[in-house]
Amino acid sequence: VKARAVRSSGVPTITQVAEAAGVSRATVSRAFGQPELLSDATVKLVREVADQLGYVPNQTARALSTGRAGNIALVVPDITNPFFAAIMRGAQALARQQGYATFLGDSDETPELEDLLLTRLAAQVDGFILVSSRLTRERIRAHAARRPLVLLNRDVSGIPRLLIDAASSYEAAVEHLAGLGHRAIAYVSGPAISWSNRQRRDAVSRAAERCGLLLFIVPTEKPTFEAGQRCTEAVLKTGATAALAFDDVTAQGLMSGLAARGLSVPGDMSVVGCDGVVATMTYPPLSSISIDCFGVGQTGVRMLLDVLGGERVREKSMLATELVLRATTAPPQGTAVLSPVKTAAGKARGENLSARKP
Amino acid sequence: VKARAVRSSGVPTITQVAEAAGVSRATVSRAFGQPELLSDATVKLVREVADQLGYVPNQTARALSTGRAGNIALVVPDITNPFFAAIMRGAQALARQQGYATFLGDSDETPELEDLLLTRLAAQVDGFILVSSRLTRERIRAHAARRPLVLLNRDVSGIPRLLIDAASSYEAAVEHLAGLGHRAIAYVSGPAISWSNRQRRDAVSRAAERCGLLLFIVPTEKPTFEAGQRCTEAVLKTGATAALAFDDVTAQGLMSGLAARGLSVPGDMSVVGCDGVVATMTYPPLSSISIDCFGVGQTGVRMLLDVLGGERVREKSMLATELVLRATTAPPQGTAVLSPVKTAAGKARGENLSARKP
DNA sequence: TTGTAGGCGTTATCAA
DNA sequence: TTGATAACGCCTACAA
């Protein structure tokens, strides 16, 4: 039999190590996989030879043989969004530490692409983490039937998931604004398919009603800076004196749009965001609902690895959020300062009043 | 022989499709890989059966058999940095379109981790794209000997690379500042190991000398918002009236630090960044050296795929940058307006004067 | 403690 | 145009 096609000859195989070390391939395999079965001397010898040759066990072959790929995939709608980037970082850090490599799928906010990524990657990974998935429940269930799958920031019963509970914080934010004297507020919404958008919108709606505030819903296409900018006019037209955005990036866009029109924040309009990743970087620093994104990523990986390890995992976990007051909320123009902030559910805090969590 | 361990039974194999379709495994394989060898009827039949079963060719097995993984890896120092996120996006978009899945490696700015990622991923990918690699030339060469490797924003002879030529734009920026009447400027540097940091620093240094400006170099640990903030004091101490930062994120941190001290930009200090990703989002909008990050990512993939395809690639490509003037540069305090901007190498333009590139 | 041999899912070669 | 069969690199039950 003839040798195969141009096999990138750069990478040594287990056979070469075995020959060089004068042992069987099985022994080399064990030297890496289960060294406790071998004598110390043998392990040492094999490892030295391997090092010298630059041998590293071929993960692909290993995967085929064991059925374990040693890879996981993280799929996000837009890696450019700092919220997802931070989650990715947390996930990847823990995954690597646990011996897993991470595929990153960017679905560009489209369900079709997300679907494609999942089917294409399925055989190469041991499991998936879907962040803010734009897929239908049916598709998610279908994919979950083929490979272990964990949901972040998306609520589908029967699938292990970590939910970011921003509802109470949004309610607190609305109450905070009401306390400042605002009578009409706007919610700048996120993607219609987004679970968290619904959750946040509903929370705002509930709280607004309770506080007797007039609420306007302003739609956007995607949670991006540009989309936030573009909706500025629409927000202004409502006559609202304060805006709660779906996330920080959108809020930042809105602030930019306001500045471009010569309006000041919070003087002419109060703005509240959500995520806390970019909030500290805006000017003025954005009052925002803070999420521990790095932790979200880590938790996602932990849940997935638990599933892979056959352990029981809570099907549904909730992550608390916190309203952090910075510099973008104030009484509406021409309003005397009213009573101090009164928060019901979530507790608000000022950045300077307490240290950030560790 | 007994059946193997708990093989995730969710994914159908080629054998099952072959049986269901009443053909051989080879035929099924061809129906996907080289349908032109089969009769139309057979292809249709096999595909239908496969669809129904939910069969997708197993990329892992394919990789083992062909030697082609169908994967590439992109390694960046920090995915949280919008510059790298944007590159990742461009890279992934093109890679997917060409049938490649993308691993993302985040080295957390450390050479050791980068090294680890490369060795761990080597057998699973057809090639690497290293962005702003923090590795030594020797290590890069060592890895390049094992797997095709393309460098982005790093200059190592003998390795295909795309260099972002910000030098002339930095010089133009310095000249612009000189033209505004600044006499003392600061360069807020990036990571010492970074190639582009050296390039940018040297360019600033050259231009400053030429223009007779006093130049101070202010070091930072990493190109992050926080690091930018932390160096504010140091920048102020120099007495410089303008600062050029290593990148936008650092510049943004500096602006935040200045604002926290009640100083205004550009009133009290002019600031220039580099990357152009976040520049439009800051307040005031940051004058910055603009880079087509999405294009950088795409080009990186194109170069790598060319190498994989056995085509000749230019060993060294340069990508032009452009100084985009926004709202963060002005004459130093107490200086009358001087002559209009004079730029030598790069051509500066104001955001409103011309449309952004398509 | 170590070696032998069969198989993971796919593709490539050779025949038919 | 299709089928049988041997790899690809590694792991592991079984034997020694």
Side-chain angles (χ1 to χ4, degrees), chain B residues 244-271:
Chain B
L244 297 104
F246 168 70
D247 71 356
D248 278 356
V249 175
T250 307
Q252 197 181 10
L254 175 61
M255 284 170 67
S256 161
L258 291 169
R261 286 168 179 74
L263 299 174
S264 83
V265 174
D268 295 301
M269 177 169 292
S270 290
V271 176

PDB file of all heavy atoms in Angstrom, chain B residues 244-271:
ATOM      1  N   LEU B 244      -0.813  60.961  22.196  1.00  0.00           N
ATOM      2  CA  LEU B 244      -1.128  59.961  21.182  1.00  0.00           C
ATOM      3  C   LEU B 244      -1.084  58.622  21.886  1.00  0.00           C
ATOM      4  O   LEU B 244      -0.079  58.283  22.516  1.00  0.00           O
ATOM      5  CB  LEU B 244      -0.106  59.984  20.050  1.00  0.00           C
ATOM      6  CG  LEU B 244      -0.034  61.285  19.251  1.00  0.00           C
ATOM      7  CD1 LEU B 244       1.183  62.078  19.648  1.00  0.00           C
ATOM      8  CD2 LEU B 244      -0.041  60.983  17.767  1.00  0.00           C
ATOM      9  N   ALA B 245      -2.153  57.867  21.772  1.00  0.00           N
ATOM     10  CA  ALA B 245      -2.187  56.593  22.475  1.00  0.00           C
ATOM     11  C   ALA B 245      -1.887  55.448  21.519  1.00  0.00           C
ATOM     12  O   ALA B 245      -2.016  55.580  20.304  1.00  0.00           O
ATOM     13  CB  ALA B 245      -3.549  56.379  23.123  1.00  0.00           C
ATOM     14  N   PHE B 246      -1.503  54.330  22.102  1.00  0.00           N
ATOM     15  CA  PHE B 246      -1.218  53.131  21.322  1.00  0.00           C
ATOM     16  C   PHE B 246      -2.464  52.646  20.588  1.00  0.00           C
ATOM     17  O   PHE B 246      -2.397  52.154  19.475  1.00  0.00           O
ATOM     18  CB  PHE B 246      -0.700  52.039  22.252  1.00  0.00           C
ATOM     19  CG  PHE B 246      -0.651  50.680  21.631  1.00  0.00           C
ATOM     20  CD1 PHE B 246       0.261  50.395  20.639  1.00  0.00           C
ATOM     21  CD2 PHE B 246      -1.545  49.691  22.029  1.00  0.00           C
ATOM     22  CE1 PHE B 246       0.301  49.135  20.056  1.00  0.00           C
ATOM     23  CE2 PHE B 246      -1.507  48.438  21.453  1.00  0.00           C
ATOM     24  CZ  PHE B 246      -0.584  48.158  20.462  1.00  0.00           C
ATOM     25  N   ASP B 247      -3.595  52.771  21.237  1.00  0.00           N
ATOM     26  CA  ASP B 247      -4.828  52.371  20.560  1.00  0.00           C
ATOM     27  C   ASP B 247      -6.033  53.119  21.121  1.00  0.00           C
ATOM     28  O   ASP B 247      -5.895  53.920  22.049  1.00  0.00           O
ATOM     29  CB  ASP B 247      -5.035  50.855  20.610  1.00  0.00           C
ATOM     30  CG  ASP B 247      -5.395  50.364  22.008  1.00  0.00           C
ATOM     31  OD1 ASP B 247      -5.417  51.177  22.946  1.00  0.00           O
ATOM     32  OD2 ASP B 247      -5.649  49.156  22.148  1.00  0.00           O
ATOM     33  N   ASP B 248      -7.186  52.844  20.569  1.00  0.00           N
ATOM     34  CA  ASP B 248      -8.400  53.554  20.959  1.00  0.00           C
ATOM     35  C   ASP B 248      -8.813  53.265  22.393  1.00  0.00           C
ATOM     36  O   ASP B 248      -9.250  54.151  23.126  1.00  0.00           O
ATOM     37  CB  ASP B 248      -9.571  53.149  20.044  1.00  0.00           C
ATOM     38  CG  ASP B 248      -9.548  53.910  18.739  1.00  0.00           C
ATOM     39  OD1 ASP B 248      -8.683  54.796  18.579  1.00  0.00           O
ATOM     40  OD2 ASP B 248     -10.389  53.622  17.880  1.00  0.00           O
ATOM     41  N   VAL B 249      -8.679  52.017  22.773  1.00  0.00           N
ATOM     42  CA  VAL B 249      -9.120  51.635  24.112  1.00  0.00           C
ATOM     43  C   VAL B 249      -8.297  52.373  25.164  1.00  0.00           C
ATOM     44  O   VAL B 249      -8.828  52.890  26.149  1.00  0.00           O
ATOM     45  CB  VAL B 249      -8.999  50.109  24.300  1.00  0.00           C
ATOM     46  CG1 VAL B 249      -9.338  49.718  25.719  1.00  0.00           C
ATOM     47  CG2 VAL B 249      -9.923  49.400  23.323  1.00  0.00           C
ATOM     48  N   THR B 250      -7.003  52.411  24.946  1.00  0.00           N
ATOM     49  CA  THR B 250      -6.133  53.148  25.857  1.00  0.00           C
ATOM     50  C   THR B 250      -6.491  54.632  25.860  1.00  0.00           C
ATOM     51  O   THR B 250      -6.567  55.266  26.917  1.00  0.00           O
ATOM     52  CB  THR B 250      -4.660  52.977  25.438  1.00  0.00           C
ATOM     53  OG1 THR B 250      -4.361  51.587  25.329  1.00  0.00           O
ATOM     54  CG2 THR B 250      -3.736  53.612  26.458  1.00  0.00           C
ATOM     55  N   ALA B 251      -6.712  55.169  24.676  1.00  0.00           N
ATOM     56  CA  ALA B 251      -7.072  56.581  24.562  1.00  0.00           C
ATOM     57  C   ALA B 251      -8.370  56.863  25.316  1.00  0.00           C
ATOM     58  O   ALA B 251      -8.498  57.873  26.016  1.00  0.00           O
ATOM     59  CB  ALA B 251      -7.216  56.962  23.092  1.00  0.00           C
ATOM     60  N   GLN B 252      -9.284  55.944  25.189  1.00  0.00           N
ATOM     61  CA  GLN B 252     -10.574  56.101  25.849  1.00  0.00           C
ATOM     62  C   GLN B 252     -10.388  56.108  27.376  1.00  0.00           C
ATOM     63  O   GLN B 252     -11.014  56.895  28.085  1.00  0.00           O
ATOM     64  CB  GLN B 252     -11.481  54.938  25.439  1.00  0.00           C
ATOM     65  CG  GLN B 252     -12.950  55.156  25.714  1.00  0.00           C
ATOM     66  CD  GLN B 252     -13.781  53.952  25.310  1.00  0.00           C
ATOM     67  OE1 GLN B 252     -13.239  52.891  24.995  1.00  0.00           O
ATOM     68  NE2 GLN B 252     -15.087  54.105  25.312  1.00  0.00           N
ATOM     69  N   GLY B 253      -9.520  55.241  27.848  1.00  0.00           N
ATOM     70  CA  GLY B 253      -9.232  55.213  29.278  1.00  0.00           C
ATOM     71  C   GLY B 253      -8.613  56.527  29.732  1.00  0.00           C
ATOM     72  O   GLY B 253      -8.976  57.075  30.776  1.00  0.00           O
ATOM     73  N   LEU B 254      -7.718  57.025  28.938  1.00  0.00           N
ATOM     74  CA  LEU B 254      -7.081  58.301  29.254  1.00  0.00           C
ATOM     75  C   LEU B 254      -8.118  59.420  29.318  1.00  0.00           C
ATOM     76  O   LEU B 254      -8.117  60.241  30.238  1.00  0.00           O
ATOM     77  CB  LEU B 254      -6.016  58.620  28.204  1.00  0.00           C
ATOM     78  CG  LEU B 254      -5.327  59.979  28.329  1.00  0.00           C
ATOM     79  CD1 LEU B 254      -4.595  60.101  29.660  1.00  0.00           C
ATOM     80  CD2 LEU B 254      -4.370  60.203  27.166  1.00  0.00           C
ATOM     81  N   MET B 255      -8.998  59.440  28.348  1.00  0.00           N
ATOM     82  CA  MET B 255     -10.040  60.470  28.330  1.00  0.00           C
ATOM     83  C   MET B 255     -10.906  60.389  29.575  1.00  0.00           C
ATOM     84  O   MET B 255     -11.293  61.404  30.153  1.00  0.00           O
ATOM     85  CB  MET B 255     -10.915  60.308  27.078  1.00  0.00           C
ATOM     86  CG  MET B 255     -10.239  60.793  25.812  1.00  0.00           C
ATOM     87  SD  MET B 255     -11.154  60.324  24.318  1.00  0.00           S
ATOM     88  CE  MET B 255     -12.637  61.310  24.490  1.00  0.00           C
ATOM     89  N   SER B 256     -11.183  59.165  29.968  1.00  0.00           N
ATOM     90  CA  SER B 256     -11.971  58.977  31.184  1.00  0.00           C
ATOM     91  C   SER B 256     -11.220  59.512  32.400  1.00  0.00           C
ATOM     92  O   SER B 256     -11.783  60.174  33.267  1.00  0.00           O
ATOM     93  CB  SER B 256     -12.282  57.492  31.358  1.00  0.00           C
ATOM     94  OG  SER B 256     -12.642  57.218  32.686  1.00  0.00           O
ATOM     95  N   GLY B 257      -9.925  59.219  32.442  1.00  0.00           N
ATOM     96  CA  GLY B 257      -9.107  59.696  33.544  1.00  0.00           C
ATOM     97  C   GLY B 257      -9.062  61.212  33.595  1.00  0.00           C
ATOM     98  O   GLY B 257      -9.085  61.823  34.669  1.00  0.00           O
ATOM     99  N   LEU B 258      -8.993  61.813  32.431  1.00  0.00           N
ATOM    100  CA  LEU B 258      -8.964  63.272  32.375  1.00  0.00           C
ATOM    101  C   LEU B 258     -10.290  63.851  32.849  1.00  0.00           C
ATOM    102  O   LEU B 258     -10.330  64.797  33.629  1.00  0.00           O
ATOM    103  CB  LEU B 258      -8.672  63.730  30.934  1.00  0.00           C
ATOM    104  CG  LEU B 258      -7.256  63.429  30.425  1.00  0.00           C
ATOM    105  CD1 LEU B 258      -7.150  63.674  28.919  1.00  0.00           C
ATOM    106  CD2 LEU B 258      -6.223  64.267  31.179  1.00  0.00           C
ATOM    107  N   ALA B 259     -11.379  63.245  32.372  1.00  0.00           N
ATOM    108  CA  ALA B 259     -12.704  63.724  32.750  1.00  0.00           C
ATOM    109  C   ALA B 259     -12.893  63.620  34.265  1.00  0.00           C
ATOM    110  O   ALA B 259     -13.456  64.518  34.892  1.00  0.00           O
ATOM    111  CB  ALA B 259     -13.778  62.920  32.024  1.00  0.00           C
ATOM    112  N   ALA B 260     -12.374  62.540  34.830  1.00  0.00           N
ATOM    113  CA  ALA B 260     -12.516  62.343  36.267  1.00  0.00           C
ATOM    114  C   ALA B 260     -11.802  63.435  37.051  1.00  0.00           C
ATOM    115  O   ALA B 260     -12.128  63.716  38.196  1.00  0.00           O
ATOM    116  CB  ALA B 260     -11.966  60.970  36.655  1.00  0.00           C
ATOM    117  N   ARG B 261     -10.810  64.033  36.426  1.00  0.00           N
ATOM    118  CA  ARG B 261     -10.080  65.113  37.093  1.00  0.00           C
ATOM    119  C   ARG B 261     -10.611  66.485  36.688  1.00  0.00           C
ATOM    120  O   ARG B 261      -9.985  67.510  36.912  1.00  0.00           O
ATOM    121  CB  ARG B 261      -8.592  65.009  36.750  1.00  0.00           C
ATOM    122  CG  ARG B 261      -7.901  63.865  37.466  1.00  0.00           C
ATOM    123  CD  ARG B 261      -6.524  63.586  36.899  1.00  0.00           C
ATOM    124  NE  ARG B 261      -5.856  62.504  37.619  1.00  0.00           N
ATOM    125  CZ  ARG B 261      -6.171  61.220  37.491  1.00  0.00           C
ATOM    126  NH1 ARG B 261      -7.151  60.856  36.688  1.00  0.00           N
ATOM    127  NH2 ARG B 261      -5.520  60.300  38.173  1.00  0.00           N
ATOM    128  N   GLY B 262     -11.739  66.463  36.037  1.00  0.00           N
ATOM    129  CA  GLY B 262     -12.360  67.731  35.662  1.00  0.00           C
ATOM    130  C   GLY B 262     -11.694  68.411  34.471  1.00  0.00           C
ATOM    131  O   GLY B 262     -11.934  69.580  34.197  1.00  0.00           O
ATOM    132  N   LEU B 263     -10.862  67.662  33.764  1.00  0.00           N
ATOM    133  CA  LEU B 263     -10.201  68.244  32.589  1.00  0.00           C
ATOM    134  C   LEU B 263     -10.989  67.921  31.332  1.00  0.00           C
ATOM    135  O   LEU B 263     -11.585  66.854  31.216  1.00  0.00           O
ATOM    136  CB  LEU B 263      -8.779  67.699  32.477  1.00  0.00           C
ATOM    137  CG  LEU B 263      -7.885  68.041  33.684  1.00  0.00           C
ATOM    138  CD1 LEU B 263      -6.542  67.344  33.577  1.00  0.00           C
ATOM    139  CD2 LEU B 263      -7.691  69.560  33.764  1.00  0.00           C
ATOM    140  N   SER B 264     -10.975  68.811  30.386  1.00  0.00           N
ATOM    141  CA  SER B 264     -11.758  68.582  29.180  1.00  0.00           C
ATOM    142  C   SER B 264     -10.872  68.240  27.996  1.00  0.00           C
ATOM    143  O   SER B 264      -9.712  68.637  27.916  1.00  0.00           O
ATOM    144  CB  SER B 264     -12.607  69.818  28.862  1.00  0.00           C
ATOM    145  OG  SER B 264     -11.829  70.769  28.162  1.00  0.00           O
ATOM    146  N   VAL B 265     -11.443  67.470  27.101  1.00  0.00           N
ATOM    147  CA  VAL B 265     -10.775  67.096  25.855  1.00  0.00           C
ATOM    148  C   VAL B 265     -11.608  67.677  24.721  1.00  0.00           C
ATOM    149  O   VAL B 265     -12.835  67.468  24.704  1.00  0.00           O
ATOM    150  CB  VAL B 265     -10.688  65.572  25.708  1.00  0.00           C
ATOM    151  CG1 VAL B 265     -10.128  65.190  24.338  1.00  0.00           C
ATOM    152  CG2 VAL B 265      -9.827  64.969  26.817  1.00  0.00           C
ATOM    153  N   PRO B 266     -11.056  68.410  23.792  1.00  0.00           N
ATOM    154  CA  PRO B 266      -9.629  68.701  23.651  1.00  0.00           C
ATOM    155  C   PRO B 266      -9.189  69.984  24.338  1.00  0.00           C
ATOM    156  O   PRO B 266      -8.037  70.395  24.177  1.00  0.00           O
ATOM    157  CB  PRO B 266      -9.498  68.857  22.141  1.00  0.00           C
ATOM    158  CG  PRO B 266     -10.801  69.452  21.726  1.00  0.00           C
ATOM    159  CD  PRO B 266     -11.834  68.923  22.663  1.00  0.00           C
ATOM    160  N   GLY B 267     -10.070  70.618  25.099  1.00  0.00           N
ATOM    161  CA  GLY B 267      -9.711  71.885  25.721  1.00  0.00           C
ATOM    162  C   GLY B 267      -8.401  71.828  26.493  1.00  0.00           C
ATOM    163  O   GLY B 267      -7.443  72.533  26.180  1.00  0.00           O
ATOM    164  N   ASP B 268      -8.338  70.931  27.472  1.00  0.00           N
ATOM    165  CA  ASP B 268      -7.137  70.858  28.291  1.00  0.00           C
ATOM    166  C   ASP B 268      -6.075  69.940  27.697  1.00  0.00           C
ATOM    167  O   ASP B 268      -4.894  70.079  27.993  1.00  0.00           O
ATOM    168  CB  ASP B 268      -7.512  70.374  29.695  1.00  0.00           C
ATOM    169  CG  ASP B 268      -8.390  71.387  30.398  1.00  0.00           C
ATOM    170  OD1 ASP B 268      -7.957  72.533  30.575  1.00  0.00           O
ATOM    171  OD2 ASP B 268      -9.537  71.033  30.747  1.00  0.00           O
ATOM    172  N   MET B 269      -6.523  68.990  26.929  1.00  0.00           N
ATOM    173  CA  MET B 269      -5.550  68.095  26.303  1.00  0.00           C
ATOM    174  C   MET B 269      -6.130  67.467  25.038  1.00  0.00           C
ATOM    175  O   MET B 269      -7.282  67.036  25.029  1.00  0.00           O
ATOM    176  CB  MET B 269      -5.128  66.991  27.277  1.00  0.00           C
ATOM    177  CG  MET B 269      -4.173  65.982  26.645  1.00  0.00           C
ATOM    178  SD  MET B 269      -3.402  64.847  27.823  1.00  0.00           S
ATOM    179  CE  MET B 269      -2.348  65.943  28.742  1.00  0.00           C
ATOM    180  N   SER B 270      -5.321  67.432  24.016  1.00  0.00           N
ATOM    181  CA  SER B 270      -5.738  66.751  22.790  1.00  0.00           C
ATOM    182  C   SER B 270      -5.396  65.275  22.911  1.00  0.00           C
ATOM    183  O   SER B 270      -4.398  64.913  23.532  1.00  0.00           O
ATOM    184  CB  SER B 270      -5.017  67.342  21.575  1.00  0.00           C
ATOM    185  OG  SER B 270      -5.492  68.637  21.309  1.00  0.00           O
ATOM    186  N   VAL B 271      -6.224  64.423  22.324  1.00  0.00           N
ATOM    187  CA  VAL B 271      -5.982  62.978  22.397  1.00  0.00           C
ATOM    188  C   VAL B 271      -6.181  62.353  21.014  1.00  0.00           C
ATOM    189  O   VAL B 271      -7.131  62.697  20.308  1.00  0.00           O
ATOM    190  CB  VAL B 271      -6.935  62.298  23.399  1.00  0.00           C
ATOM    191  CG1 VAL B 271      -6.742  60.797  23.406  1.00  0.00           C
ATOM    192  CG2 VAL B 271      -6.734  62.868  24.799  1.00  0.00           C
TER     193      VAL B 271
END
